[in-house]
Amino acid sequence: MNHKEINSFYTYLQSQQTSQRFLYQCYKKIDGIDAEAKSYENCTVFMYYLDHGIKFYNAGKKLDILMQPILFFYGMVHLLKACLLTKRPNYPESTSVLAHGVSARKRKKKDYTFLEDEVKVQHNGLFPYVSQHLFFIHKMPFEKIMMKNLLGLIPDLSHLFHFNNQESMINVSKIGSHTIDFTSRVLDNYHLTERAFLERIKPYLPPIVEVKSNHTMFQIVLTKPILEPSGPFFVDDNQNIFFPTIRENFLVVSEVMVHYLLLYNLSMLSRYEAEWWGDLLITKPDVDYPFIAEFLRISAKKMPLLIGKELLKMK
């Protein structure tokens, strides 16, 4: 991921003229749209979505963790709305898409832990709208999902799971590589034969040339290098490609969607569960704290880049 190029592109779009030109190029690809008129109509709000989103993130990085979930969540929301405007010139088409699109438990149990908490995806709202129009996922692979499963889909957090004597993901390749290496243990975790496992992951990879295997591992050789991993493959900040070791975490979702759900729940906790949130930050009673603190640090750095990458694709 070219951090410098993406950050420069955000800066480039911070004028009405450059935003209008960019939107015009996007809208020319959409049938039935007056690209020139619509790009002039949307350029100002598009520019402000980007500006406010980046400012929310920058402000959050300077503040105590107490306020970070709220600022990072709304920073992300603004950047996603800017992305939507490149593909949906009439966004928002109705008030039904303005809600968050996710819900959390109303009251927390006495022995509540964040890792065991869950969120529920709604039929309407920003989350399903983004999933459909930005990432082409028309039906979510889950209705409810636990926080520990979402955290387990973030490759940059795999070391924390390792410290906690757990394994959430394994490093299987690197961006630009022609090969993917799996240990045979993955087949045991997925309860699949090698042939069945290959059939499951084949849709998310370039064509396979051959498979080299022995008793402990197998290597998949591809016709082309992996440049844009998708589905169950995730990329860390160092361009390493990771794969979930847990069968229930084999989810065809974007990491952006994972961060949205986590930030939504954390922002709700920080706003409405003052006693639990205060205890977490002051007394740090359990393993929730290191996972939350590390996630917020990673998300603040990674999400503007991942969303900026989606914008740069349109260029």
Side-chain angles (χ1 to χ4, degrees), residues 6 15 81 88 94 102 141 145 147 152 169 218 227 270 294:
I6 292 170
S15 77
K81 287 181 177 179
R88 307 291 294 176
S94 69
V102 192
I145 190 165
M147 298 299 100
M169 300 190 113
F218 59 99
L227 300 176
S270 63
E294 186 71 352

Side-chain angles (χ1 to χ4, degrees), residues 6-46:
I6 292 170
N7 288 327
S8 294
F9 193 54
Y10 276 129
T11 303
Y12 168 77
L13 292 172
Q14 283 305 303
S15 77
Q16 291 185 10
Q17 184 183 52
T18 53
S19 289
Q20 184 271 323
R21 287 175 179 172
F22 175 63
L23 290 177
Y24 176 71
Q25 295 300 320
C26 295
Y27 293 165
K28 282 199 305 182
K29 305 168 189 174
I30 303 174
D31 294 334
I33 294 293
D34 184 336
E36 186 169 2
K38 208 65 183 176
S39 62
Y40 276 107
E41 180 183 330
N42 287 342
C43 68
T44 302
V45 66
F46 173 77

Side-chain angles (χ1 to χ4, degrees), residues 103-295:
S103 63
R105 292 172 178 166
K106 299 302 181 185
R107 294 297 301 170
K108 309 305 178 187
K109 298 177 181 177
K110 187 175 180 180
D111 57 350
Y112 170 84
T113 64
F114 178 74
L115 293 182
E116 299 295 326
D117 196 8
E118 64 182 17
V119 289
K120 182 178 181 180
V121 177
Q122 303 296 316
H123 294 295
N124 296 309
L126 183 61
F127 181 76
Y129 191 89
V130 165
S131 302
Q132 178 179 348
H133 295 295
L134 290 187
F135 303 112
F136 310 106
I137 298 174
H138 298 275
K139 181 175 175 56
M140 290 301 298
F142 52 82
E143 181 181 344
K144 296 179 180 180
I145 190 165
M146 297 180 73
M147 298 299 100
K148 63 182 180 183
N149 296 107
L150 290 170
L151 291 167
L153 292 173
I154 299 174
D156 311 79
L157 286 174
S158 59
H159 58 283
L160 275 191
F161 282 92
H162 177 72
F163 296 152
N164 204 39
N165 296 318
Q166 296 173 311
E167 187 179 58
S168 60
M169 300 190 113
I170 52 171
N171 184 353
V172 296
S173 190
K174 196 172 182 73
I175 293 293
S177 174
H178 284 78
T179 61
I180 301 181
D181 298 305
F182 287 102
T183 64
S184 299
R185 189 173 69 255
V186 171
L187 300 179
D188 297 332
N189 292 346
Y190 277 72
H191 309 296
L192 293 172
T193 63
E194 183 180 302
R195 181 185 293 272
F197 181 79
L198 290 171
E199 286 299 316
R200 176 169 287 200
I201 66 173
K202 192 161 59 174
Y204 313 105
L205 296 171
I208 296 173
V209 176
E210 63 175 324
V211 179
K212 305 173 183 178
S213 59
N214 57 39
H215 295 299
T216 59
M217 61 85 66
F218 59 99
Q219 182 182 75
I220 302 171
V221 183
L222 306 168
T223 57
K224 297 186 294 185
I226 311 169
L227 300 176
E228 293 284 344
S230 63
F233 294 94
F234 296 85
V235 183
D236 73 0
D237 197 43
N238 295 316
Q239 303 294 282
N240 296 306
I241 301 173
F242 283 74
F243 185 83
T245 58
I246 305 169
R247 182 173 180 167
E248 62 183 356
N249 278 0
F250 184 95
L251 299 171
V252 184
V253 294
S254 163
E255 190 178 338
V256 172
M257 298 159 64
V258 173
H259 285 245
Y260 184 104
L261 294 174
L262 285 161
L263 285 173
Y264 167 80
N265 202 17
L266 285 171
S267 70
M268 296 295 283
L269 288 169
S270 63
R271 279 181 287 175
Y272 302 118
E273 298 291 339
E275 183 177 1
W276 183 86
W277 188 241
D279 283 344
L280 174 84
L281 301 183
I282 295 170
T283 65
K284 303 176 177 64
D286 53 37
V287 73
D288 280 352
Y289 178 80
F291 274 94
I292 290 171
E294 186 71 352
F295 163 71

Side-chain angles (χ1 to χ4, degrees), residues 77-103:
V77 164
H78 278 75
L79 295 183
L80 286 174
K81 287 181 177 179
C83 258
L84 284 172
L85 272 182
T86 66
K87 296 176 181 288
R88 307 291 294 176
N90 295 313
Y91 172 82
E93 294 92 338
S94 69
T95 56
S96 67
V97 303
L98 296 177
H100 294 315
V102 192
S103 63

